[in-house]
Amino acid sequence: MLVVIKQDYDEMSKEAALLVADLIHRKPNCVLGFATGSTPLGLYQELIRMYREEGLDFSKVTTFNLDEYVGLPPEHPQSYHYFMWENLFKHINVDRRYVHIPHGMAVDVEEFCEWYEERIKQAGGIDLQILGIGANGHIAFNEPGSSLGSRTRIKTLDEFTKRDNARFFENQEEVPKYTITMGVGTIMDAKSLLLLASGNSKADAIHATVEGPITALYPATIVQMHRKATIICDEEAASKLSRKYSGYLS
Ligand code: PGA
């Protein structure tokens, strides 16, 4: 696992964008896994800038998103469909046919989840999966206690996450109870991982992820077992690491 510590959020975002752009240059038809949340927004802005100013070409890229709220239609402003189109996809030349985001209104959720897993396989697997991390150690919506071998499935949101995500809704009651999320096993199948974390609120989670024991109570800790995982975080998020210098391998 490579841990890269950058000074602040902007530096973290730019470093992450360089990594993503490098992959697209090397493999124009790569498969990218995208994440939502506030953390990757700076990365997405930088990718948009690279598209506009440097001609970074997304036309052959296939995308898979990590998760979506059950019960929110794609046009709902809090849906992850909406988030991805507003914050990235509509600003770049991604081909709509190659975009995959779990469908929150799927009639048969189980069938949908199987289809999603199959689509990832058919696309040749995910080359690079971008991840945020919850302060409770979740990755995607794999909440504490998630099976470390889990696949795409329906999950109940943790009370902590519901409170955390209430900031995006009018009140906590409006936060959906269920989500469709790639499983921890699905994420671990990606050929490389890029986990981003910024701010003091993520310091405990980064400490556990890099230096703690692997446990389903902190699903992000499984990243230690990945063959090609990069964590890019800022100094605040890295503040509780005991071995702390930029660009170290653990
Ligand atoms: P955040 O969420 O980027 O908004 O902090 C990350 C996550 O919950 O995975």
Side-chain angles (χ1 to χ4, degrees), residues 36-40 132-135 138-140 161 164-165 167-168 202:
T36 52
S38 46
T39 308
I133 182 170
H138 74 202
I139 41 173
T161 305
D164 199 34
N165 288 7
R167 63 198 149 118
F168 301 115
K202 301 293 170 70

Side-chain angles (χ1 to χ4, degrees), residues 44-58:
Y44 296 164
Q45 275 160 21
E46 184 61 10
L47 290 177
I48 293 166
R49 190 199 63 74
M50 288 171 152
Y51 163 70
R52 287 187 182 144
E53 294 174 15
E54 297 165 15
L56 184 63
D57 181 13
F58 292 85

Side-chain angles (χ1 to χ4, degrees), residues 76-150:
H76 191 289
Q78 297 311 333
S79 77
Y80 288 167
H81 269 83
Y82 190 88
F83 177 101
M84 286 311 299
W85 283 98
E86 281 306 302
N87 292 301
L88 182 62
F89 294 152
K90 80 173 187 188
H91 305 285
I92 58 176
N93 66 336
V94 73
D95 186 329
R96 185 174 277 276
R97 291 171 304 169
Y98 302 157
V99 170
H100 304 84
I101 305 173
H103 204 316
M105 300 299 280
V107 179
D108 186 332
V109 174
E110 210 170 309
E111 196 181 333
F112 177 83
C113 293
E114 276 171 30
W115 176 84
Y116 204 69
E117 288 275 334
E118 200 48 45
R119 279 297 300 137
I120 295 174
K121 259 194 230 147
Q122 284 166 1
I126 294 170
D127 289 300
L128 174 69
Q129 177 63 57
I130 296 159
L131 296 167
I133 182 170
N136 66 353
H138 74 202
I139 41 173
F141 273 126
N142 295 288
E143 300 286 20
S146 291
S147 158
L148 297 180
S150 52

Side-chain angles (χ1 to χ4, degrees), residues 61-76:
V61 172
T62 296
T63 77
F64 287 92
N65 259 78
L66 286 170
D67 45 16
E68 177 60 288
Y69 291 115
V70 169
L72 296 193
E75 61 280 6
H76 191 289

Side-chain angles (χ1 to χ4, degrees), residues 175-188:
V175 183
K177 290 189 180 58
Y178 304 104
T179 67
I180 294 174
T181 180
M182 274 188 209
V184 181
T186 320
I187 292 168
M188 287 294 284

